[in-house]
Amino acid sequence: AIRNPMCGICGIHNLALNPVNCREVIDRMSARLQHRGPDSQGKFQLPHLAFAIRRLSIIDLETGDQPLSNETGEITLVFNGEIYNYRALAGRLEGLKTDTDGEVLFGMLARSCDGDILRAVQQALPALDGVYAFALMGEGSVVLARDRMGVKQVYFGENDRHVAFASERKALWGIGMRSRRLNPGETLR
């Protein structure tokens, strides 16, 4: 049997003018993805936005936990996939602390991020050889991206209160949201 390693990522952005804590919603979404990542789980949370990941450790089993954030918490990444050329890309970056493709991806995005996270993502994507779905939060918005081949799935939905994304539709259905799939090679802000 062919094994398709996977993690589970999800996130929610509360659109209400008076933001409420997203903790309960992100916890429900993450619980629906538990089978995708038995090795670790992580969460990043602001009052109006939250990301979560269920990680299946493939590379750097000890130190590859996510979400990844910069020192100020201005940008945060959750990532599902594998960047095949991450070692070559790591040679372009300084200050890496782990041997993970996720940290290399985050380093590339953080280096390019000059106030426009969509542009940072669009600049990084051509250098990536791999299969992935990821979400980058910064400057008050979130950008989703999916690999050109469409191997890794990511779904999104919105209603009058929330915009959300997840690796599986059932995480969105579990919060009463209809879902659409991000197309292969597509980015979405």
Side-chain angles (χ1 to χ4, degrees):
I2 294 174
R3 185 170 174 246
N4 183 12
M6 58 186 165
C7 297
I9 60 173
C10 59
I12 187 150
H13 185 213
N14 185 331
L15 301 173
L17 293 176
N18 297 316
V20 297
N21 194 314
C22 295
R23 177 177 300 179
E24 178 188 332
V25 178
I26 199 67
D27 287 346
R28 279 190 291 156
M29 292 175 71
S30 179
R32 293 254 175 152
L33 300 174
Q34 182 174 1
H35 64 282
R36 294 180 68 107
D39 296 328
S40 68
Q41 62 181 319
K43 187 170 27 174
F44 174 84
Q45 188 172 329
L46 298 171
H48 64 286
L49 179 125
F51 281 176
I53 181 166
R54 295 290 184 145
R55 183 168 181 252
L56 175 66
S57 301
I58 304 296
I59 298 173
D60 198 347
L61 308 178
E62 305 290 319
T63 61
D65 289 340
Q66 296 181 45
L68 297 167
S69 295
N70 63 356
E71 300 80 30
T72 60
E74 293 170 355
I75 59 172
T76 300
L77 173 77
V78 287
F79 161 69
N80 171 28
E82 186 175 357
I83 306 299
Y84 305 135
N85 63 335
Y86 81 96
R87 285 199 163 97
L89 296 171
R92 303 178 192 174
L93 301 170
E94 296 178 10
L96 297 176
K97 297 178 177 101
T98 70
D99 184 32
T100 64
D101 52 352
E103 186 184 18
V104 170
L105 174 59
F106 181 75
M108 291 177 62
L109 294 167
R111 183 181 67 181
S112 302
C113 197
D114 60 359
D116 186 345
I117 64 168
L118 180 59
R119 185 172 56 232
V121 169
Q122 291 170 335
Q123 288 175 351
L125 290 179
L128 302 179
D129 177 17
V131 294
Y132 52 82
F134 67 83
L136 181 68
M137 181 279 300
E139 290 99 34
S141 64
V142 174
V143 173
L144 295 177
R146 185 173 174 210
D147 65 89
R148 290 179 288 249
M149 297 300 293
V151 173
K152 296 298 180 181
Q153 305 293 320
V154 66
Y155 300 89
F156 65 97
E158 59 187 309
N159 58 29
D160 59 338
R161 295 174 297 159
H162 300 106
V163 175
F165 70 90
S167 297
E168 291 185 14
R169 290 179 175 179
K170 67 182 180 180
L172 296 169
W173 296 340
I175 60 169
M177 190 173 288
R178 296 172 64 148
S179 66
R180 293 177 284 179
R181 182 182 3 220
L182 192 66
N183 292 322
E186 187 176 15
T187 57
L188 176 70
R189 183 189 308 238

